[in-house]
Amino acid sequence: MSPPLPASWGAATITRADDGERVPTRLVARQVSELLFARGRRWVALVGVDPLTAFIHAVIMSAGMQHLPYRRDDGTWLPVEAGETLARPVSGSAIAQSMGIPLTTVRRHAADLVAAGVAERRARGFSVVEAFYRDPRLPAFAQEDVMGLERMTQALVQAGYALPRGWSPAVLDSVPAGVVERLIQAFALRAMETFTTSHDGFLPGGIVAAIVASNVRAITADPVLAARYAADDTPPPDELRVPVSVRALAQELDVPFETVRRRVAALEQAGVVIRSARGVIVPGRLLQTPAHLADNRRIAAHFEQLLATLVALAQPRGCGA
């Protein structure tokens, strides 16, 4: 589960403790969504299973290496590939608790991972098979994640985001891609944990997040508009939100159309989305609720922690975090 956030991060924007810089949480949350959806599609393709099953695979991999430092005291890096010999099994109950889904669901999808040859059942839980860590596509995936993070930080800077103290492009050059991958994977799981907790499950949370991201994609891509609607107290007006069709949602999420249609209908019935002839939007009034503002702050805080850890690891002596 995600660690609690400092109590000082309870305002409309979070403030860095070291320099007093206010963090534009809505701006960060939008960019995080784009990063994670693109990354999620690549992970599904890499593992070769459906999105929920692939997400469980990512949980097994990340949690299995959680006990390991990113760098040992002797300076040896422990990238994601180190999981081949050092990862620990993860119990089904721990996965269920982290994701907020029933244990029976975890067991069913874990069985699919075993059948697909990308996980195995051990006495103390589930592990990613050793061959997966040797797959040449894994380091290539990690390198794509590094480039994705670099593009994200550049887009944030263009929109007026001040990167944390000590950050520079050299940070990502100083830390091995496989170590950055471990950090991004842990960050992605914490962010998705936020979505799923707020919307009662992986699929509803993913659908709502995808609708929100699609509605404001044009704003996310425009540095001027992104800066204008950067803080939690300046949400983009509904007239700037672009509706998204159910079919487009199904394609983006790689989920069957009928499944998405039923979920969207339930969200509409609950008042979470508004439908028009062009598609659906999550209205701005819902994006100003205390729960949604707290989600934005939590995601922005996790992102700040990700960058701060990378800055620390890039130092000559490292931090062994």
Side-chain angles (χ1 to χ4, degrees):
M1 300 298 288
S2 302
L5 300 183
S8 60
W9 290 359
T13 54
I14 61 177
T15 302
R16 296 190 187 120
D18 59 347
D19 57 14
E21 181 74 30
R22 284 164 59 87
V23 179
T25 50
R26 196 180 294 275
L27 170 67
V28 173
R30 287 197 299 262
Q31 286 289 344
V32 166
S33 293
E34 293 298 326
L35 177 76
L36 297 189
F37 279 120
R39 183 184 186 278
R41 288 190 292 271
R42 290 190 294 110
W43 190 257
V44 167
L46 177 64
V47 182
V49 292
D50 66 88
L52 177 55
T53 308
F55 189 73
I56 291 175
H57 184 272
V59 172
I60 295 171
M61 174 178 277
S62 183
M65 299 186 69
Q66 193 172 17
H67 64 289
L68 299 173
Y70 296 111
R71 182 158 57 174
R72 289 186 169 128
D73 292 339
D74 64 3
T76 303
W77 293 103
L78 293 178
V80 66
E81 295 89 346
E84 178 181 354
T85 56
L86 299 176
R88 294 174 178 172
V90 182
S91 70
S93 58
I95 299 169
Q97 181 180 7
S98 174
M99 296 182 63
I101 60 176
L103 178 58
T104 53
T105 302
V106 171
R107 287 172 173 165
R108 184 171 68 252
H109 287 276
D112 291 341
L113 289 170
V114 173
V118 292
E120 59 185 351
R121 180 69 184 265
R122 294 186 177 180
R124 298 179 61 186
F126 296 96
S127 295
V128 172
V129 295
E130 293 180 1
F132 189 84
Y133 293 102
R134 297 192 300 269
D135 190 325
R137 296 177 301 163
L138 184 58
F141 185 96
Q143 190 59 52
E144 285 190 67
D145 264 359
V146 172
M147 292 187 294
L149 179 59
E150 184 174 15
R151 288 191 297 269
M152 177 181 171
T153 56
Q154 291 171 350
L156 286 169
V157 169
Q158 289 178 348
Y161 173 77
L163 292 168
R165 182 181 300 170
W167 181 270
S168 74
V171 167
L172 290 176
D173 293 331
S174 302
V175 181
V179 174
V180 179
E181 173 61 25
R182 284 184 59 194
L183 281 159
I184 292 177
Q185 187 173 70
F187 164 69
L189 295 179
R190 291 190 184 104
M192 285 303 299
E193 198 175 87
T194 299
F195 296 147
T196 58
T197 300
S198 297
H199 298 286
D200 299 322
F202 176 84
L203 187 54
I207 289 174
V208 172
I211 294 172
V212 173
S214 182
N215 292 161
V216 297
R217 189 153 285 146
I219 294 172
T220 304
D222 185 321
V224 175
L225 290 177
R228 183 178 302 165
Y229 303 110
D232 272 342
D233 51 4
T234 56
D238 285 355
E239 54 267 27
L240 290 184
R241 299 180 189 276
V242 179
V244 58
S245 71
V246 173
R247 191 167 300 280
L249 277 175
Q251 291 175 346
E252 177 163 1
L253 294 168
D254 194 22
V255 174
F257 171 82
E258 189 57 30
T259 300
V260 176
R261 186 196 66 77
R262 289 196 307 270
R263 294 286 187 170
V264 169
L267 291 170
E268 183 181 13
Q269 184 69 25
V272 176
V273 303
I274 297 175
R275 187 187 298 270
S276 70
R278 297 170 58 199
V280 295
I281 68 167
V282 174
R285 60 178 174 78
L286 291 181
L287 302 183
Q288 298 180 73
T289 62
H292 184 80
L293 297 182
D295 285 350
N296 278 356
R297 292 192 295 271
R298 184 171 292 278
I299 289 169
H302 288 319
F303 180 67
E304 290 272 306
Q305 290 168 350
L306 166 66
L307 297 187
T309 302
L310 283 168
V311 168
L313 287 171
Q315 300 305 310
R317 291 184 177 274
C319 67

